[in-house]
Amino acid sequence: MFREGRREAILKLRRLEGDLWEIPREGRMRVPGRVYSVGPPSPDDPALLQVANVAHLPGILRFSLAMPDIHWGYGFPIGGVAAVDAETGAVSPGGVGYDVNCGVRVLSTGILATELAEHIEALILRIERQVPAGVGASRAIPRLKDSDLDEVLQDGALFAIRRGYAASFDDASLCEEGGRIEFAEPSWVSARARARGADQLGTLGSGNHFLELDRVVEIYDEEAARAFGLKLDHVAVQIHSGSRGLGHEVCDVALAGLATNPGRYGGDYSLLPDPQLACAPIASKDGRRYLGAMAAAANFAFANRQVMTGLVVTAFEETLGIGRAKLGFAVLYDVCHNVAKFEEHEIEGEKRRLLVHRKGATRALGPGDPRVPEPYRPVGQPVLVPGDMGRASYVLKGTSRAARDTFASSCHGAGRLLSRGEALRRSKGRKIAEELRGRGILVRARSPRTLAEEMSEAYKDVSRVVAVMHGAGLSELVARLEPIALVKG
Amino acid sequence: MRLDWPQPYTDLDHTADVGISVQGSTKEEALARLVLALCSLLADEGFRPAAERREALLVVNGGPDLAGSTVALLREVLRHSLKFHEVPVSCEVLGVDEREVRACVVFTPCDEAHLREVKAVTRHLAKLSAEEGSWKARAVFDV
C-alpha cells in the first residue's frame, strides 16, 4: 500500500491478454485488480496500489477495475471502477470524487465547420461572455431561490428544459439516466453546499472544464454515426463540467463525517488499508444520506450542462443569425464521469442489483440494452471521451463485452500525465494560445497559467487510451472530433 | 506571530491535484504559512492585494489529529474566500491542537477575473507534524 510517498510493496502484475493485466488477489484483497493499460503498467505506480486498496472494499464484486486513463486520486484512482452488492456493500465518496457528476455532453449540429469560419471569433467571445468560467455567476440564472434549487436537485436536466434551456425537445431522453437520478434527496444537501451552488447554475467551472467547438474529422462506424447524428466536417459541441461548488461540498461533508470515526462500522470497515477509502454500509444512515445527497448533486450537474446547452444554442443563433431549425442542434448524449449508481448487472449468470462506483470512468452499455435511448439501441450507448485541447476527442459506442467484463464501463478521457507545476515549468517561455492559433485552434481562457496547466503535453494521448478500449472490445470507435475553438474554465 | 502573503512553499508535483508543503519553527507558524500558500493558489498572476482588509477570527473544530485540524482551518478559509470573493493575505494562528484551531486571518477582495477556483481541501497527505527540528505542514487541494 502506498503511504506518505513511500511504497510499502511492489505489486505483482500478470498479463491476461492484450492490454489487460491482473493484480492477483492477496492479503485482505477481496477480489483481484484488473487494469487496462496503454503499454505495460509500472508495478510501482501509486495508482495501481490504489486499485489494490479498492479491492478491500466490503461487498466488492469480481474485480477492482482500472481504465487506461488511470492516475492517482483520492482513495480510488481516477479511472477506477468498483461494483458492490447493493444491499450488503459499502459506498465510498472517494469512489465518486469531489466533482460529483463531472461529465461531458456532446451536441451535434447541422452546420458545416466551413460555415463557421468567418464567425468563429465573434461566436467564441459571445460564448465566453454568456457561460462564465471560474467563480463567476451565470447571467442566465444569477441566483436560485431555495425552492428552485430543490427542483434542480430533484429534477436535474428537466428543470433547465422547463426553463427553456434546450437544444431540442428530446434532450433529456438522450442523457444518461434521462438527465436525472431518481434516488436524489435534496433535503440531505447541506446549507453550505446550497450556498455554494445557488449562483453557479449555468457556469463552466475551472481546471480541466471546457466548452469546445469541434469538427467531425473522421467517421469509423457509418451506421453508429448516422444513429448518433454525426456527420463528417460538421460542427459538434462538447461541454465538460460538473456539479460545481455544490457537489464539492457534498463530497467534503461526507468525507468529514466519515473521518471523525473511521472505525464506527467495525469489522471490515476498520481494516481498510487507506483511510481515504472511508466508506459506510450502503444501508446505513451515513450511506443513505451520502447517496441521496450525491444523486442530488449529480442532478445539479445535469441541470448545469443543460443550461449551458441552451446558452450555446442561443449564442449560435445570435452570432450566425440562423434560426434553430437550420442550426440543427441536438443532444448526442450526456455521460457521467464521477458517480455511484444502482445498476443491474449479470454476475455468474444471475442478474444482481449493484452499486457501481465510476470515478473518471464512463458507462458503456451495449446494443439492445433497454437503458440505451431508443434511437441508439441498435448500435449501443454513445461513449464520449474528450482529449486535450490541442489534439482530438472521440465518440465511441458501448458493447455487450463491456457489460460482461467491466460492469459496462469504459475510459473517460486522456488522464493527466504531468502535475500542474511540471506543466508550468515546461511551458516557460511559450505562448500556448498562439501555438494553438497557429494550428487553427482559437482558445479563450481566464489566464495564461490555466492554458499552461492544461496544455496538451500535460495529458496522455487520448488516441492511445481509446485504442486500448477498442482493442479490448469494451467500446468501439465511431468518430474523431478535432477542436476549432474553445473556452477553458 | 503574524505572517503576511506571500510566503514560501513547495509544490508537491501531485498529478491530479495540487499539493503544497511548508515549514515553520512552530506548528502555528507552519499552519499560518500554509493558509497563505492557499492564497497563492486562489489568486492568479494578475492579482494585486487591495488596500481594503477584513479581519476574521476563525475558531474551527478540528481533529481527530493535527492533520485534521489543519484541513478544518483550510476548509474554513476556502469557504470564506469563495463566498466573499476574497483571499487571505495575513494570518496568525493563535492556537492549534487535536480538537480545535483558532486563527486570525486578514482577507482582501479578489475580483472574479483573478480568483481561481479551488474545489476542496482534501485529507490526502494532510500533515502538521514536527520533523527534524522544525514543523512541517502539508495539504492537497482539488482544483
Side-chain angles (χ1 to χ4, degrees), chain B residues 98-138:
Chain B
E98 288 80 358
R99 287 162 307 158
E100 182 184 270
V101 57
R102 290 172 299 116
C104 186
V105 182
V106 176
F107 294 90
T108 195
C110 181
D111 67 62
E112 285 176 12
H114 296 299
L115 187 61
R116 287 159 58 88
E117 190 180 36
V118 173
K119 290 180 183 144
V121 185
T122 77
R123 280 152 189 78
H124 179 49
L125 297 181
K127 175 164 81 173
L128 181 61
S129 59
E131 293 174 23
E132 297 166 346
S134 69
W135 281 83
K136 297 217 168 62
R138 184 174 69 192

Side-chain angles (χ1 to χ4, degrees), chain A residues 190-203:
Chain A
S190 70
R192 239 189 215 196
R194 287 164 174 268
R196 281 185 76 175
D199 62 355
Q200 292 192 325
L201 193 66
T203 65

